[in-house]
Amino acid sequence: MGEDFQKQEFRLQGVGCSPGVVRGKAFVFLQKNIEEIPCYKIEESAREAEAHRFERALEATREQIAGLAEDVRSRGATAEADIFDAHLLVLDDPAIVGETLKAMATTGLNAEYCFNSTSRRYIEFFAGLEDDYLKERVSDIRDVTQRVLKNLLGIAPTGTSDRYSKRVIVAEDLTPSETTTFERSNVLALLTDMGNRTSHAAIVARAMGIPAVVGLRNASLRIAQDDEILVDGEKGIVYINPSEKTLACYSTISRQRSRLAAVIEKELSLPDVTLDGCAFHLEGNIGGADDIENLKKFRLKSVGLFRSEGIFLRNDRFPSEEQQFEEYRRAAESMPEAGTLIIRTLDLGGDKLISSSLLAREDNPFMGFRAIRFCLEFRDIFKDQLRAILRASAFGKIKIMFPMICSVAEVVAAKEVLEEAKNELRSRGEKFDEDISVGAMIEIPAAAVIAENIAEEVDFFSIGTNDLTQYTLAVDRGNEKISHLYDSYHPAVLKLIYFIVKAARKTGIPCAVCGEIAGDPVFAPLLLGMGVSALSMTPNCAAKIRYILRHTDTDSVRKLARAVLAEPEPRNIQERLTLFMNSILPETE
Ligand code: PEP
Ligand code: MG
């Protein structure tokens, strides 16, 4: 084959979830499937180093497991901690470790292959025994084997690795915590087989400004290491080995998009009022105190949603009250003048997991042990967080918001725990805002239906449309196989939003929207027309939303809302909203 051989271009369509056009080489993460462990020969001279690499992976695993055991034990879950002790025993088992080292020496093959083969032999042996106790060891060995292999293979990606610096990362899936480890300056783009626009890893990528396409189904199998890739994060298109024609076409598209961005950015510092002089309120969604710089960059004053689980995901453990307090205080202190910081209490579960046995994998995670359900079960963990938030309220204007509320009883119970936390701080003599506002996220249809009753118990609402959409339509927000059914234009979703807004208005409390549609230029005029009090979004969406709302007026958006709410067909709604947006955006040809 000649040097001028041009690899064939092919195109994959996924869900664009973080805009940006980039071009670069692929770095494909190894899949987590144990069947795909690589097997290769190690040079004689490198065998000692290979044995050390194996020992380092064992040591890293030992530290991770000991940390988990300590964490769980400190929460009083002694039985769960015992499981990790059993895992440590497997790691120290001279038979498995010794046999692996022996296999490496005699076959000259790599550590992961030899370790995997040895542990599989043990798994088969224990699985075949009659004794139930000994059979139990199978899951211990399997779990430890996975951890060691991940450490050997570097499967759990961390954003600091040089191996994929300035590459397009391709993976079967990325958890939100894995995504948070990447640095904007270190990776070009993220591509995953799984996920959808509102899966949490996608939201994290958007917040970090890393172009991303999810739901690509089998991209990690079709893209090879070092393939040349062109990513369009807005349209969700990925070209592998792009042709000269495609590259030329994309350079024109990029120029047009930059021109549009420049026009929009010019208005960044103009007041947030519509053409008829009505003020509108834009706020930011953040995942940590560091994001507040970005908030200011896009001239947002308040935070409508601080996803506090970011601290838990980044540390992969339950942080102490002190650690949390430091983060919340730093956020409160760095807020723009007169801004409000709404901290949402822990929303772990669903697709946001940490390595804790208190949060095991579930068959139906989004319907499961998540958010307030977890907090009301593990009240000490909840109270650690509430005390930390309360203490930080002495340093800036903070409000507390409870996620995944489904009943009045849950709000009442959460407020009881908040009172306990306040009492504990009073007896410690700590300062906090005695009148701190408390709000509820309305993101479950049941809560929407009884919104008037819930409103009696809280000071404000924020509608979580990401979850409200998945629960209303019974469509898992992270499942790429049904992403076409996850439809925010569905009239049932829009009618529910309007129903909640009306319930809040009747009770006299404000009602914001903090789901992804708040930052979507197609939806913003509609939400304003429905009477939503504030739109809270990933800060880098704010410039375009500001431009659109500044170039419309109250009558037009109310008329738009009336027309949309009377329309039964989602595609007609989409068309009407898109036409409205396009009539406002400037031409860039
Ligand atoms: C939502 O559900 O719309 C929301 C804002 O919360 P999260 O995306 O974190 O579930
Ligand atoms: Mg939610």
Side-chain angles (χ1 to χ4, degrees):
M1 230 168 276
E3 292 225 325
D4 53 353
F5 167 72
Q6 169 76 48
K7 284 194 189 168
Q8 198 65 36
E9 168 183 297
F10 64 99
R11 180 187 132 131
L12 298 174
Q13 176 71 59
V15 181
C17 67
S18 182
V21 174
V22 287
R23 184 189 166 191
K25 284 199 185 310
F27 184 93
V28 186
F29 272 108
L30 287 161
Q31 303 306 295
K32 301 177 187 183
N33 189 344
I34 204 162
E35 305 299 331
E36 294 170 27
I37 299 299
C39 173
Y40 52 90
K41 202 92 178 161
I42 304 289
E43 298 264 327
E44 189 89 44
S45 59
R47 292 207 181 142
E48 204 178 318
E50 182 69 357
H52 281 140
R53 190 170 74 86
F54 177 52
E55 274 152 17
R56 276 201 306 280
L58 292 177
E59 194 47 44
T61 312
R62 205 171 278 122
E63 276 172 23
Q64 287 160 0
I65 296 176
L68 287 171
E70 191 192 305
D71 188 21
V72 172
R73 196 163 273 125
S74 73
R75 306 268 161 221
T78 322
E80 281 87 354
D82 291 348
I83 297 172
F84 292 118
D85 288 344
H87 288 187
L88 281 173
L89 287 179
V90 174
L91 261 187
D92 290 330
D93 186 329
I96 298 181
V97 174
E99 277 182 39
T100 303
L101 286 167
K102 200 162 140 203
M104 287 167 68
T106 51
T107 62
L109 293 174
N110 57 313
E112 38 280 78
Y113 183 80
C114 295
F115 177 65
N116 189 39
S117 316
T118 309
S119 64
R120 288 187 73 164
R121 265 206 321 282
Y122 276 87
I123 287 169
E124 273 161 34
F125 170 74
F126 281 112
L129 295 178
E130 291 293 318
D131 185 316
D132 283 343
Y133 171 74
L134 289 173
K135 262 191 183 155
E136 278 286 293
R137 293 210 67 199
V138 170
S139 64
D140 293 340
I141 300 174
R142 202 172 267 141
D143 192 300
V144 172
T145 303
Q146 287 293 337
R147 282 184 192 280
V148 174
L149 287 173
K150 279 186 188 176
N151 280 322
L152 275 169
L153 294 165
I155 277 177
T158 60
T160 49
S161 171
D162 284 345
R163 290 188 303 150
Y164 48 78
S165 176
K166 303 281 181 269
R167 301 282 201 103
V168 173
I169 306 293
V170 186
E172 184 184 353
D173 196 15
L174 290 171
T175 65
S177 55
E178 283 164 350
T179 312
T180 54
T181 66
F182 290 109
E183 277 169 27
R184 172 70 191 96
S185 54
N186 201 31
V187 297
L188 291 178
L190 300 175
L191 308 179
T192 61
D193 295 352
M194 299 173 63
N196 198 352
R197 197 180 145 73
T198 60
S199 47
H200 285 101
I203 293 172
V204 171
R206 190 154 50 245
M208 296 167 77
I210 302 176
V213 180
V214 299
L216 283 160
R217 289 161 185 258
N218 53 9
S220 69
L221 295 176
R222 298 189 63 190
I223 298 174
Q225 210 67 274
D226 294 330
D227 267 354
E228 201 53 53
I229 309 280
L230 177 71
V231 180
D232 179 348
E234 188 171 324
K235 296 265 183 282
I237 303 172
V238 176
Y239 291 91
I240 295 95
N241 309 316
S243 65
E244 289 304 322
K245 199 167 144 221
T246 303
L247 291 173
C249 169
Y250 261 88
S251 89
T252 312
I253 292 175
S254 286
R255 268 200 307 279
Q256 282 167 350
R257 288 192 193 157
S258 312
R259 275 205 291 274
L260 178 61
V263 175
I264 286 169
E265 234 141 79
K266 263 200 202 136
E267 299 213 353
L268 192 63
S269 52
L270 297 179
D272 290 351
V273 286
T274 56
L275 288 175
D276 56 327
C278 250
F280 56 85
H281 301 280
L282 306 187
E283 302 176 338
N285 292 353
I286 63 166
D290 291 341
D291 296 344
I292 290 181
E293 275 319 301
N294 210 25
L295 190 81
K296 292 177 182 162
K297 193 168 134 203
F298 290 97
R299 234 181 37 78
L300 297 171
K301 270 211 190 89
S302 291
V303 169
L305 170 65
F306 180 157
R307 287 186 166 93
S308 64
E309 55 279 1
I311 313 162
F312 294 65
L313 295 171
R314 282 193 296 277
N315 291 294
D316 195 26
R317 57 171 56 216
F318 293 105
S320 64
E321 173 189 329
E322 212 50 39
Q323 235 177 319
Q324 293 184 66
F325 164 64
E326 279 308 322
E327 175 99 11
Y328 305 145
R329 183 178 61 88
R330 200 156 59 82
E333 285 181 340
S334 42
M335 282 291 289
E337 180 124 7
T340 303
L341 172 65
I342 298 180
I343 302 183
R344 177 178 75 185
T345 58
L346 190 54
D347 183 3
L348 283 180
D351 59 353
K352 290 181 281 197
L353 291 179
I354 57 173
S355 310
S356 165
S357 62
L358 304 184
L359 274 162
R361 287 208 174 273
E362 297 173 284
D363 286 342
N364 238 331
F366 275 114
M367 302 281 223
F369 195 41
R370 192 187 155 190
I372 201 71
R373 300 170 180 183
F374 173 86
C375 288
L376 290 176
E377 187 76 24
F378 291 102
R379 292 186 178 219
D380 286 344
I381 294 176
F382 192 25
K383 243 193 294 176
D384 280 352
Q385 180 175 43
L386 292 172
R387 281 194 308 272
I389 299 175
L390 285 167
R391 283 169 61 195
S393 71
F395 297 86
K397 185 73 195 154
I398 289 182
K399 297 181 181 182
I400 294 178
M401 178 158 76
F402 299 128
M404 287 279 290
I405 290 297
C406 187
S407 66
V408 175
E410 276 173 348
V411 182
V412 171
K415 282 177 24 181
E416 273 167 18
V417 184
L418 180 63
E419 271 317 303
E420 282 174 31
K422 284 183 177 178
N423 282 334
E424 287 169 15
L425 290 182
R426 283 186 196 111
S427 60
R428 281 202 225 156
E430 303 243 25
K431 280 207 205 109
F432 61 90
D433 176 4
E434 287 279 353
D435 301 317
I436 195 161
S437 294
V438 172
M441 280 195 77
I442 306 296
E443 47 188 347
I444 296 180
V449 173
I450 57 160
E452 254 184 75
N453 306 102
I454 294 177
E456 299 291 344
E457 289 294 331
V458 294
D459 303 307
F460 64 92
F461 278 167
S462 191
I463 308 177
T465 49
N466 306 337
D467 279 317
L468 188 65
T469 307
Q470 79 163 339
Y471 295 130
T472 303
L473 305 179
V475 175
D476 181 340
R477 64 194 265 189
N479 186 339
E480 70 287 351
K481 293 192 199 80
I482 46 172
S483 61
H484 59 291
L485 299 176
Y486 185 94
D487 189 359
S488 304
Y489 297 102
H490 196 298
V493 176
L494 301 176
K495 281 189 162 65
L496 268 184
I497 295 173
Y498 188 50
F499 187 82
I500 303 164
V501 174
K502 280 193 301 181
R505 194 183 305 144
K506 198 164 163 199
T507 331
I509 62 168
C511 177
V513 171
C514 64
E516 293 307 296
I517 67 168
D520 187 332
V522 179
F523 282 98
L526 171 68
L527 296 174
L528 189 69
M530 284 183 181
V532 162
S533 61
L535 299 176
S536 191
M537 64 200 72
T538 304
N540 43 25
C541 297
K544 203 164 181 182
I545 302 291
R546 178 172 286 126
Y547 183 94
I548 288 174
L549 298 186
R550 275 183 46 76
H551 288 260
T552 186
D553 62 81
T554 318
D555 264 1
S556 305
V557 289
R558 284 195 185 148
K559 213 165 121 205
L560 177 72
R562 274 198 300 279
V564 163
L565 287 164
E567 172 61 59
E569 185 47 55
R571 296 293 63 87
N572 291 345
I573 294 177
Q574 180 174 15
E575 193 181 305
R576 192 181 277 270
L577 292 178
T578 309
L579 277 175
F580 189 88
M581 176 190 73
N582 287 341
S583 70
I584 295 174
L585 288 175
E587 297 278 340
T588 53
E589 286 306 313

